[in-house]
């Protein structure tokens, strides 16, 4: 930049509110002229962001920000406030307004740091773990506090002379529940094999420790592990690194969930559900599809009795065995003895872990707390061991939705079904069995046609992809009381949506005796 074109520089403030970079340092950097931005070098970025640097200072001009002078100051004030809340940037980072050639430009200045992607090239494995652990710590701290994510590229993090790590980029993004972070880990394994190979296990342990420290929920370890399993790796060496990392996360999950530990003497009293979906595909015979039992023993016994009468000995239970109802222990015992496949629901996870977080109503939290106080440890351990999904021959079984990376929080309904059908097509799946909505029915895709099918008996062979909800065994919301389930015939792709009447008085009496909120009892009577 022509130094004669430089006019007023108005310092707005430093990120942490203390004294930041001085105006003369900013002017010196600007006078040095703009730098070329080259991917993989010390300075990278968008072409619209012009970067200037001296040996001690880096200045960015945000030339894409174009407002009136008053709105420009407001934009900088808001940005400065947000960065102070993030507490991720160097404390001396400063925002300013520059007048040049009669135009007002927003910019910022910070001490010149060593970008992490360059620093890693000269480090050994153990120091790599230290720096990446600092990234995990900063990244996850921001995500947990603000529901925002930092840009994961290593060039967006820098080290000062004492090895302290800071965020270099100006932008943040909506938190995506570890998905982008997992992509970064895949990049590390592909681009830094010399550094990653000796420390894969330790790196997985370090990330697991940070996840538990900031989020306190071991479920996210499985989410990251499952996302890692779906990443593309070009060769066996890269896949081996990923498998080692996933193994470390799986072990950390088991330890955090207390699975198989000596202090849990009853863990082996309840047999785990079958883990291999191949047994459901083997002979093409029909099997049952159940969901959302919600601790309603009379409803579950009614359904299991009907399945026995029909001669159906196999089935899939799509999660939420517990919650809302008064019979968690008995329902778990029944399903553990049934030999059915069972996946984890969000209420199962909350009862097993004690983590409710967002997404639960006040009544749901009440029931979860009530259940945790009464459920023996061996039953909570059984819930903790449930798989997040099952995948068979071109079908998926999950509590939530195919597009939901956390497996049991997303919904399939009118506003989301087309996106979920698109996910099935991408994964080359023809069917997904899901729960969570308590609304029985089928969404389908046939060529370019999308729609909903509501008949009790459906021939699904006509469709390219289907999303099947069997309704709820223990708390239906279709507007009709009863115990809902489905029967699936994979050979013919015939689906029967079934509803049985049962006597709700025993469960209502037990809910009243347990002090359950009245709204939960009323739902059983109204079916919604």
């Amino acid at each position: 930049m022509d130094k004669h074109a430089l006019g007023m520089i108005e310092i707005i403030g430093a990120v942490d509110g203390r004294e930041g970079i001085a105006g003369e340092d900013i002017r010196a950097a600007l006078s040095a002229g703009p730098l070329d931005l080259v991917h993989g070098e010390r300075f990278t970025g968008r072409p619209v962001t012009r970067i200037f640097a001296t040996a001690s200072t880096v200045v960015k001009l945000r030339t894409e920000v174009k407002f009136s002078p008053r709105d420009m100051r407001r934009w900088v004030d808001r940005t400065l406030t947000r960065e102070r809340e993030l507490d991720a940037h160097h404390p001396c980072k400063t925002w300013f307004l520059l007048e040049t050639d009669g135009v007002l430009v927003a910019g910022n200045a910070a001490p010149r740091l060593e970008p992490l992607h360059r620093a890693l090239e000269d480090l050994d494995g153990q120091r790599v773990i230290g720096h990446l652990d600092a990234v995990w710590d900063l990244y996850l701290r921001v995500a947990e506090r603000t529901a925002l994510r930092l840009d994961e590229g290593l060039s967006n993090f820098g080290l000062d002379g004492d090895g302290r790590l800071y965020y270099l980029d100006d932008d943040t993004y909506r938190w995506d529940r570890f998905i982008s972070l997992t992509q970064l880990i895949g990049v590390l394994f592909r681009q830094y094999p010399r550094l990653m190979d000796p420390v894969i296990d330790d790196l997985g342990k370090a990330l697991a420790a940070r996840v538990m420290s900031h989020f306190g929920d071991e479920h996210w370890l499985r989410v990251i592990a499952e996302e890692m399993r779906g990443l593309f790796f070009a060769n066996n060496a890269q896949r081996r690194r990923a498998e080692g990392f996933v193994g470390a996360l799986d072990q950390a999950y088991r330890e955090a969930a207390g699975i198989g530990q000596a202090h849990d003497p009853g863990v082996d009293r309840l047999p785990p559900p079958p883990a291999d979906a191949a047994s459901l595909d083997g002979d093409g015979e029909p099997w049952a599809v159940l969901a959302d039992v919600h601790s309603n023993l009379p409803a579950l016994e009614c359904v299991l009795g009907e399945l026995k009468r029909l001669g159906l000995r196999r089935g899939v239970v799509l999660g939420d065995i517990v919650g809302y109802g008064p019979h968690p222990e008995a329902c778990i015992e029944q399903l553990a003895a049934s030999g059915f496949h069972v996946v984890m629901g969000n209420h199962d996870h909350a009862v097993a872990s004690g983590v409710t977080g967002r997404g639960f109503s006040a009544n749901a939290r009440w029931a979860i707390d009530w259940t945790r106080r009464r459920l023996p440890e061996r039953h909570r351990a059984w819930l903790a061991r449930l798989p997040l999904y099952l995948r068979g021959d071109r079908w998926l079984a999950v509590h939530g939705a195919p597009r939901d990376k956390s497996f049991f929080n997303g919904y399939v309904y009118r506003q989301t079904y087309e996106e979920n059908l698109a996910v099935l097509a991408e994964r080359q799946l023809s069917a997904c069995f899901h729960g969570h909505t308590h609304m029985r029915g089928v969404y389908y895709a046939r060529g370019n046609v999308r729609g909903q099918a509501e008949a009790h008996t459906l021939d699904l062979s006509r469709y390219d992809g289907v999303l099947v909800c069997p309704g709820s065994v223990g708390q239906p919301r279709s507007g009709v009381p009863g115990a809902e389930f489905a029967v699936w015939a994979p050979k013919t792709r015939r689906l029967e949506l079934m509803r049985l009447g049962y006597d709700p008085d025993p469960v209502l009496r037990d809910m009243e005796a347990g002090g359950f909120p009245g709204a939960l009892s009323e739902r059983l009577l109204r079916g919604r």
Side-chain angles (χ1 to χ4, degrees):
M1 177 173 289
D2 183 352
K3 62 182 178 180
H4 298 296
L6 295 179
M8 173 273 299
I9 295 178
E10 179 188 357
I11 304 296
I12 304 299
V15 165
D16 75 344
R18 297 186 298 178
E19 183 176 352
I21 304 295
E24 55 266 29
D25 295 318
I26 296 172
R27 194 175 294 275
L30 292 170
S31 298
L35 299 172
D36 293 329
L37 304 182
V38 180
H39 180 71
E41 297 299 325
R42 293 186 184 278
F43 294 98
T44 63
R46 300 170 298 180
V48 293
T49 300
R50 304 185 70 190
I51 297 182
F52 307 78
T54 63
S56 60
T57 305
V58 176
V59 172
K60 298 180 187 178
L61 294 186
R62 298 292 299 271
T63 59
E64 82 281 13
V65 180
K66 297 178 180 179
F67 299 113
S68 67
R70 184 179 66 174
D71 289 340
M72 186 74 80
R73 170 176 275 280
R74 288 177 177 173
W75 184 87
V76 171
D77 283 339
R78 287 196 301 268
T79 302
L80 184 61
T81 299
R82 177 177 56 83
E83 289 193 355
R84 287 174 177 171
E85 293 172 350
L86 285 179
D87 190 26
H89 297 86
H90 194 283
C92 292
K93 182 180 180 182
T94 303
W95 280 87
F96 63 87
L97 290 174
L98 166 69
E99 184 182 0
T100 175
D101 293 329
V103 177
L104 203 60
V105 179
N108 60 68
R112 183 165 179 168
L113 307 178
E114 180 70 0
L116 188 58
H117 71 291
R118 295 295 297 269
L120 289 183
E121 296 175 358
D122 301 322
L123 298 178
D124 58 33
Q126 289 304 314
R127 286 200 294 167
V128 165
I129 290 180
H131 288 317
L132 291 178
D133 182 53
V135 173
W136 311 152
D137 187 27
L138 179 61
Y139 183 90
L140 296 175
R141 174 171 57 81
V142 168
E144 192 277 330
R145 286 176 48 244
T146 69
L148 296 172
R149 65 178 179 86
L150 306 178
D151 190 317
E152 298 79 10
L154 295 183
S155 62
N156 294 312
F157 297 88
L159 302 167
D160 69 7
D162 296 321
R164 290 184 291 257
L165 184 114
Y166 299 99
Y167 187 51
L168 302 181
D169 198 21
D170 299 336
D171 297 321
T172 56
Y173 306 88
R174 185 177 179 180
W175 175 236
D176 63 359
R177 294 179 171 178
F178 301 93
I179 305 307
S180 295
L181 178 62
T182 307
Q183 297 289 333
L184 168 63
I185 297 168
V187 171
L188 291 174
F189 292 168
R190 288 188 287 266
Q191 294 187 358
Y192 297 92
R194 178 184 64 83
L195 300 178
M196 295 298 107
D197 280 341
V199 297
I200 292 295
D201 188 65
D202 290 339
L203 192 61
K205 292 177 181 177
L207 177 60
R210 292 300 184 185
V211 170
M212 293 303 298
S213 172
H214 290 293
F215 285 82
D217 185 353
E218 62 270 14
H219 169 65
W220 297 116
L221 303 181
R222 290 210 288 180
V223 169
I224 298 170
E226 290 298 336
E227 187 68 12
M228 287 291 300
R229 291 185 175 102
L231 293 182
F232 169 77
F233 294 103
N235 53 55
N236 289 333
Q238 293 176 2
R239 282 188 286 274
R240 175 179 49 77
R241 293 180 201 114
E243 290 168 359
F245 188 83
V246 167
L249 293 179
D250 286 341
Q251 180 59 33
Y253 170 80
R254 293 178 61 83
E255 292 173 0
I259 296 172
Q261 295 183 9
H263 71 269
D264 183 9
V267 71
D268 292 328
R269 295 180 188 174
L270 292 176
D276 185 6
S279 62
L280 293 167
D281 292 321
D283 55 16
E285 292 300 310
W287 37 271
V289 187
L290 284 63
D292 296 282
V293 175
H294 283 300
S295 297
N296 185 338
L297 182 61
L300 177 61
E301 289 181 332
C302 179
V303 170
L304 293 178
E306 178 66 7
L307 294 177
K308 183 177 181 180
R309 187 189 70 81
L310 294 173
L312 296 175
R313 299 184 303 275
R314 294 176 300 182
V316 172
V317 185
L318 302 170
D320 277 5
I321 315 307
V322 298
Y324 292 139
H327 308 129
E329 184 175 355
C331 288
I332 291 173
E333 294 274 2
Q334 290 266 10
L335 291 175
S338 71
F340 285 7
H341 293 71
V342 185
V343 301
M344 180 180 284
N346 57 317
H347 286 255
D348 305 323
H349 165 257
V351 167
S353 67
V355 177
T356 51
R358 292 185 289 268
F360 289 99
S361 67
N363 286 339
R365 287 192 181 92
W366 187 96
I368 289 167
D369 291 340
W370 184 93
T371 302
R372 279 185 57 80
R373 290 195 301 270
R374 286 157 177 77
L375 201 60
E377 182 181 357
R378 65 181 182 275
H379 293 80
R380 284 186 274 114
W382 187 85
L383 292 173
R385 298 158 72 189
L386 295 177
L388 297 176
Y389 66 92
L390 290 171
R391 180 161 179 168
D393 182 15
R394 300 196 66 218
W395 59 265
L396 174 73
V398 66
H399 180 68
R403 68 188 293 264
D404 176 26
K405 299 291 187 178
S406 67
F407 300 98
F408 50 55
N409 291 301
Y411 287 90
V412 174
Y413 48 75
R414 188 170 296 278
Q415 289 85 353
T416 67
Y417 81 90
E418 293 191 61
E419 296 171 345
N420 281 290
L421 285 170
V423 171
L424 290 190
E426 291 171 6
R427 298 183 185 176
Q428 298 183 326
L429 298 171
S430 62
C432 173
F433 303 95
H434 70 89
H436 201 34
T437 66
H438 299 214
M439 299 285 290
R440 71 177 192 167
V442 174
Y443 291 105
Y444 65 81
R446 183 173 61 221
N448 295 324
V449 178
R450 306 287 184 272
Q452 184 176 13
E454 299 179 351
H456 297 306
T457 301
L458 294 163
D459 177 8
L460 302 185
S461 64
R462 300 177 297 156
Y463 304 122
D464 303 317
V466 291
L467 302 163
V468 176
C469 179
S472 170
V473 171
Q475 197 196 75
R477 297 178 189 170
S478 302
V480 182
E484 299 173 337
F485 67 104
V487 175
W488 169 246
K491 187 180 297 184
T492 61
R493 292 181 63 82
R494 173 189 169 104
L495 179 76
E496 292 186 69
L497 295 171
M498 308 183 74
R499 181 185 293 117
L500 303 176
Y502 71 96
D503 181 6
D505 286 344
V507 68
L508 293 174
R509 285 196 299 268
D510 289 342
M511 293 176 79
E512 183 178 5
F516 276 67
L520 297 180
S521 301
E522 292 170 7
R523 271 192 150 164
L524 295 182
L525 296 174
R526 292 186 288 111
R528 69 169 66 253

